[in-house]
Amino acid sequence: MSVAARGSSAVRRTTVVVVTAAALLIGVVLSAGLGQLPIGPAEVVGSVLRAVGIPNGWAPTDPLIEQTLWQIRFPRIVMSLLVGALLAVAGAVMQAIFGNPLAEPGVVGVSSGAALGAALAIVLGLSTFGSWTPAVLAFAGGLAATLVVYSTARAQGRTESVTLILTGIAVNAFGGAGLALLMFAGNTATREQIVFWQLGSMNGSRWPEVLIVVVVGAAAVTGAIVLARQYDLLALGERTASHLGVRVERLRVVSIVLVALMTGVAVAFVGIIAFVGLVVPHLVRMLLGPANRSLILISLLGGGMLLVYADLLARTLVPSADLPIGVLTSLIGGPFFYWLIRRSRRKAGGWA
């Protein structure tokens, strides 16, 4: 790559980061201010500044506004940001290790497996790990679904794209049937919780749950960033990557665990949210190219931004109602998925 091309690429990358970060910041302030109790942007900023030890005249003096921000809206906003970021990075990692643009936690059944694990904990009343039990079983379900998809799609040293998608369809169908069966077997309260899992919602997010997502998500994302260089080499082909020192199978297994961690902890508290891991990495790849380190870092930012705005719409589109956020992301992701298929067929004749 020439010096001019590198300079142009750096300018484009910086522009995308700045625009995405600015859009995220605006989304956070809007989301904190809009709702049944309107709060001005100055009060939102003033409250945050006061919380970090900077005295200012913008901070709200009404305790009700302060409680609304810090007990209801900020935990929900931070949870939206984290879940969107983790699902986007999980999608980018899956596409890198499978070499398939359709690979995404929702499409290949990881989200369904995680939701089924959490639903089992709810219906059976399991408490082996205390309040962490649904999250632990969600991780186990997501990991099991990923391993099933991966082991089935691998044949003769390569991953078959069609088998990958078909296995994902089967896993999704099994997960959906399992959730329906658990709903049938459960009582009214557990049915309501399982419906919540199927539709997805940020409503009721609390700081202890946010802390769990931060801790697990930060570790998994750090691992993905460390492996980004090896993903770049894997894109050259398994044989070439092996010659360059990449232990391909170990890389895939470690990456599968990271994806299960990110997806499991993301859906453990908010339910299934589809298509974020499909839409965001593709948009970033179209803007900046396939280099995986930039792709992962900016998908992190873009995924958070997308879900902050999606949650804002979910809270405000219908007065006095909270739409399921999974419905909104599917309304965006469904048409994008269709466009992706049409684009691939037009440019490359479809996937093998």
Side-chain angles (χ1 to χ4, degrees):
M1 184 181 291
S2 67
V3 175
R6 288 180 182 173
S8 174
S9 175
V11 169
R12 182 183 302 176
R13 185 167 55 248
T14 303
T15 303
V16 170
V17 170
V18 170
V19 170
T20 308
L24 174 60
L25 188 60
I26 292 170
V28 168
V29 174
L30 284 175
S31 189
L34 296 178
Q36 292 185 354
L37 177 63
I39 302 173
E43 290 179 301
V44 173
V45 174
S47 181
V48 173
L49 291 176
R50 183 167 63 188
V52 297
I54 302 176
N56 63 90
W58 297 340
T61 55
D62 187 343
L64 179 61
I65 293 179
E66 197 74 349
Q67 288 177 2
T68 301
L69 284 175
W70 288 97
Q71 294 183 12
I72 299 174
R73 294 189 185 168
F74 282 155
R76 181 168 180 154
I77 293 168
V78 177
M79 182 66 90
S80 303
L81 197 158
L82 291 170
V83 170
L86 290 177
L87 291 177
V89 173
V93 171
M94 288 197 75
Q95 289 159 22
I97 60 174
F98 289 130
N100 190 314
L102 295 179
E104 189 259 352
V107 173
V108 300
V110 184
S111 297
S112 294
L116 183 60
L120 272 173
I122 292 169
V123 172
L124 300 179
L126 301 177
S127 58
T128 309
F129 304 99
S131 61
W132 287 60
T133 303
V136 171
L137 288 193
F139 165 69
L143 179 62
T146 313
L147 289 174
V148 168
V149 170
Y150 173 65
S151 60
T152 307
R154 290 289 295 172
Q156 299 178 348
R158 67 188 184 90
T159 305
E160 298 175 350
S161 301
V162 174
T163 307
L164 178 77
I165 303 303
L166 290 176
T167 309
I169 292 171
V171 171
N172 272 322
F174 180 80
L179 284 172
L181 182 62
L182 290 173
M183 287 178 68
F184 176 76
N187 55 33
T188 303
T190 56
R191 286 194 196 101
E192 289 178 355
Q193 286 181 281
I194 293 174
V195 169
F196 158 82
W197 276 97
Q198 290 176 304
L199 300 178
S201 174
M202 299 294 168
N203 191 18
S205 297
R206 296 291 178 264
W207 287 119
E209 299 168 353
V210 171
L211 180 61
I212 293 171
V213 179
V214 167
V215 172
V216 177
V221 169
T222 302
I225 293 171
V226 169
L227 295 174
R229 174 64 178 160
Q230 296 189 50
Y231 297 147
D232 289 338
L233 297 177
L234 185 60
L236 301 173
E238 292 186 14
R239 182 171 298 179
T240 304
S242 298
H243 290 163
L244 293 173
V246 177
R247 297 175 66 178
V248 175
E249 287 309 311
R250 189 181 69 172
L251 174 65
R252 282 203 167 105
V253 171
V254 171
S255 300
I256 285 170
V257 174
L258 294 179
V259 167
L261 272 175
M262 288 186 276
T263 307
V265 78
V267 305
F269 300 109
V270 302
I272 298 176
I273 297 176
F275 288 114
V276 176
L278 179 69
V279 173
V280 176
H282 277 290
L283 288 176
V284 176
R285 196 176 289 112
M286 284 190 291
L287 289 171
L288 299 176
N292 279 286
R293 181 158 295 174
S294 298
L295 179 66
I296 290 171
L297 289 172
I298 299 176
S299 292
L300 184 84
L301 205 56
M305 181 198 70
L306 176 66
L307 226 53
V308 165
Y309 279 98
D311 183 55
L312 174 61
L313 290 174
R315 286 197 299 111
T316 57
L317 273 181
V318 180
S320 303
D322 202 330
L323 289 176
I325 193 171
V327 173
L328 289 178
T329 57
S330 295
L331 284 175
I332 298 171
F336 183 82
F337 192 73
Y338 173 77
W339 172 81
L340 183 64
I341 293 172
R342 297 284 298 176
R343 178 176 179 268
S344 175
R345 286 183 61 84
R346 187 171 61 252
K347 295 185 69 172
W351 290 292

